Amino acid sequence: AQYLGIMAVEDNNLQVLNALDLAKTQLYHFTAIIIAGMGFFTDAYDLFSISLVTKLLGRLYYTKPDLLKPGTLPPVVAASVTGVALVGTLAGQLFFGWLGDKMGRKKVYGMTLVLMVVCSVASGLSFGNTPKSVMTTLCFFRFWLGFGIGGDYPLSATIMSEYANKKTRGAFIAAVFAMQGFGILFSGIVALATAGGFDHAYKAPTFAENAALSTVPQADYIWRIILMFGSLPAALTYYWRMKMPETARYTALVAKDAKRAAQDMGRVLQVEIESDEAKVEQISRDETNQFGLFSWEFVRRHGLHLFGTCSTWFLLDIAFYSQNLFQKDVFSAVGWIPKAPTMNAVQEVYKIARAQTLIALCSTVPGYWFTVAFIDIIGRFAIQLMGFFFMTVFMFAIAIPYHHWTLEANRIGFIVMYSFTFFFANFGPNATTFVVPAEIFPARLRSTCHGISAAAGKAGAIVGAYGFLYAAQSKDPTKTDAGYPTGIGIKNSLIVLGCINALGMLCTFCV
């Protein structure tokens, strides 16, 4: 009720906005979900597909003839390949979030999409004949890919919140974000199909049988195909994105063009709407609606909200990205993915993709859609609090008796418990941290504030991506990956993630 109240006060009963708020759920709502959601489908595909191919990159470019085990990416390279897109995403969220409030949601939306398509293709075409040149160009293009993805966060959320009606606004915004689950699932399916096809076409021995022949030269195409495939869904939705009219809240309240807003939404809703130009002029003259982002009035009204949305998203993404980007390492540690020397390079991609696809299918995707179903019934706050609570419980449940779960007889139990942490991340804060900033800030600052909140989340993702990579290394120097210093081990890393989830539960009370 408080979110809807804030939007209602700001709208000042403009007829065009009342028409949107009270509109029955109809075809254009679902069209908007698909169009905005395909951006998130692509975002998730591009961000998480890299975790499917990092082991392959290590085998292709860093295997040496005298090594007793397959090559792995050096620490700096591994951190850069995984994390550089997140750095770009953070920068893109801040820049495009601000630009969306200045130029309009629709114009900036098109820019981000073009950037994503071009850089997704370019990532797969990373050129050079040395490991350094290939990894450098890959990181360069993945940074700009992340920059485009960053713009999609505030713009998709803002567009959907400003198109939706009051009754189902939360569900519609959550449905856009839920497309991320399908993106993660699709990346696994593409990797399974690609690796399965290449393994059938180019038979190779395992690394233990013949190290030199275990990585066929054609395997270099696999990671390129997987990364480039992310451009396809984004390109297919470009036309429909550009056909969507600008949102009425931006046109009326920010651009001050009541007539255009009424025309656009009248066409969408297929009803006649008065333009309310006098009311728009009145709103524009009202000094209480003129405070800026860097003002005491904003701090008084929304300072605690912004702190709450930023802190919860930051803490959530430390845990969420650590779990997603490095689940293959966790699964390898408990033996669910076989040891690298027992597979050839293509088989390893297949086994990693299979594990991540099963987790996405059984816990990640259902978690998102539970949020869609219940967010307008039990509310944002309750779902977020519940999600953080159960993430904490299940993380401690697998971390504290960690040795018990590594025993072969108990591995299925570990996978089930680990899956529940994904389920409650998505039926919880991973969805609500996206929804809330799209609702509680004024229209002229909404995209900017959502971008700031999302950037805080990506700062957490960067901490998770770089931190877990080093922290999860064994405390025994003889058991660390090549080139890595000793860490605190997977058990202690999972305990730290559990504490972070508990802190996120406390910060939820700020929203």
Side-chain angles (χ1 to χ4, degrees):
Q2 66 168 325
Y3 306 142
L4 303 180
I6 288 168
M7 295 185 98
V9 168
E10 178 197 59
D11 299 347
N12 207 28
N13 296 318
L14 289 177
Q15 187 175 331
V16 63
L17 304 185
N18 279 337
L20 275 172
D21 284 341
L22 300 175
K24 291 182 179 180
T25 300
Q26 50 193 276
L27 180 62
Y28 86 87
H29 286 118
F30 295 104
T31 304
I33 288 171
I34 296 297
I35 294 171
M38 286 310 291
F40 266 90
F41 180 98
T42 306
D43 297 348
Y45 184 100
D46 289 332
L47 285 177
F48 294 109
S49 60
I50 192 67
S51 66
L52 300 167
V53 299
T54 49
K55 296 276 191 185
L56 176 62
L57 291 171
R59 289 207 191 211
L60 282 168
Y61 296 106
Y62 293 92
T63 296
K64 296 177 182 176
D66 57 339
L67 284 183
L68 300 177
K69 56 183 181 180
T72 57
L73 296 176
V76 174
V77 176
S80 299
V81 167
T82 304
V84 72
L86 301 176
V87 176
T89 303
L90 188 155
Q93 285 164 335
L94 292 172
F95 176 73
F96 287 117
W98 166 79
L99 201 63
D101 283 333
K102 296 297 179 186
M103 292 179 60
R105 301 16 170 162
K106 180 182 175 179
K107 286 182 183 176
V108 181
Y109 213 27
M111 295 180 199
T112 63
L113 194 66
V114 170
L115 192 57
M116 286 159 59
V117 171
V118 170
C119 292
S120 185
V121 173
S123 295
L125 296 176
S126 298
F127 48 84
N129 56 6
T130 65
K132 185 176 181 180
S133 61
V134 173
M135 295 303 141
T136 300
T137 52
L138 176 61
C139 288
F140 174 81
F141 289 121
R142 280 192 64 78
F143 172 84
W144 290 109
L145 173 64
F147 194 71
I149 289 171
D152 217 43
Y153 273 74
L155 293 166
S156 292
T158 301
I159 285 171
M160 199 62 241
S161 74
E162 293 180 350
Y163 260 97
N165 56 36
K166 277 186 180 183
K167 187 178 179 182
T168 54
R169 180 176 289 133
F172 286 159
I173 303 172
V176 169
F177 194 63
M179 295 297 284
Q180 191 177 69
F182 287 124
I184 295 171
L185 179 64
F186 188 62
S187 68
I189 292 170
V190 170
L192 280 172
T194 307
F198 272 77
D199 190 42
H200 179 74
Y202 305 100
K203 297 294 183 182
T206 65
F207 186 88
E209 292 170 344
N210 190 320
L213 298 179
S214 66
T215 305
V216 295
Q218 292 84 357
D220 191 56
Y221 293 116
I222 294 176
W223 69 271
R224 298 177 186 275
I225 291 169
I226 293 170
L227 295 187
M228 290 170 70
F229 217 92
S231 64
L232 190 61
L236 291 175
T237 56
Y238 181 80
Y239 171 75
W240 297 107
R241 280 197 184 194
M242 292 301 96
K243 278 193 71 176
M244 287 179 74
E246 182 59 86
T247 71
R249 280 188 169 85
Y250 180 86
T251 306
L253 299 174
V254 183
K256 308 285 192 299
D257 190 345
K259 186 176 180 181
R260 179 66 182 274
Q263 288 174 345
D264 286 345
M265 292 306 105
R267 194 164 62 249
V268 166
L269 296 173
Q270 296 181 335
V271 295
E272 196 71 36
I273 300 175
E274 291 181 21
S275 62
D276 282 341
E277 289 168 294
K279 282 188 180 179
V280 169
E281 196 173 331
Q282 180 187 338
I283 293 171
S284 65
R285 287 200 304 265
D286 187 350
E287 292 186 4
T288 62
N289 290 325
Q290 300 305 314
F291 61 88
L293 182 65
F294 302 103
S295 67
W296 283 113
E297 185 65 15
F298 177 86
V299 173
R300 186 181 70 81
R301 292 193 190 189
H302 299 292
L304 191 62
H305 294 152
L306 189 58
F307 171 77
T309 57
C310 288
S311 60
T312 52
W313 209 336
F314 173 80
L315 294 166
L316 176 274
D317 272 9
I318 293 177
F320 185 73
Y321 278 82
S322 295
Q323 288 174 252
N324 262 296
L325 291 173
F326 301 107
Q327 59 180 287
K328 63 184 182 300
D329 302 302
V330 176
F331 291 154
S332 296
V334 299
W336 198 37
I337 296 175
K339 294 186 180 298
T342 66
M343 302 177 283
N344 63 43
V346 181
Q347 288 170 344
E348 188 172 35
V349 175
Y350 185 88
K351 293 289 175 64
I352 291 169
R354 186 182 65 177
Q356 295 194 189
T357 302
L358 283 171
I359 291 293
L361 188 62
C362 298
S363 63
T364 304
V365 172
Y368 281 118
W369 291 98
F370 264 71
T371 300
V372 174
F374 291 105
I375 192 167
D376 287 314
I377 299 172
I378 63 178
R380 291 80 166 141
F381 177 78
I383 288 178
Q384 185 161 311
L385 203 61
M386 175 198 67
F388 269 129
F389 173 77
F390 282 111
M391 286 172 71
T392 305
V393 168
F394 284 111
M395 192 62 76
F396 284 146
I398 61 176
I400 294 171
Y402 180 70
H403 176 70
H404 167 79
W405 297 117
T406 61
L407 301 177
E408 188 170 351
N410 303 322
R411 286 172 183 169
I412 298 300
F414 175 88
I415 301 304
V416 172
M417 299 283 276
Y418 199 65
S419 297
F420 271 118
T421 65
F422 281 100
F423 177 81
F424 282 106
N426 297 311
F427 183 31
N430 192 41
T432 53
T433 52
F434 176 81
V435 173
V436 172
E439 295 183 306
I440 62 175
F441 299 108
R444 68 185 184 284
L445 299 173
R446 187 170 295 139
S447 179
T448 302
C449 289
H450 196 287
I452 293 170
S453 303
K458 280 301 165 284
I462 292 165
V463 171
Y466 287 93
F468 195 86
L469 190 66
Y470 287 90
Q473 293 296 319
S474 174
K475 291 185 279 188
D476 182 349
T478 63
K479 295 181 179 178
T480 60
D481 290 335
Y484 285 86
T486 55
I488 61 175
I490 288 181
K491 174 180 177 175
N492 291 329
S493 298
L494 294 175
I495 289 174
V496 170
L497 294 182
C499 295
I500 288 169
N501 291 333
L503 188 56
M505 188 166 56
L506 293 177
C507 290
T508 296
F509 287 96
C510 295
V511 193

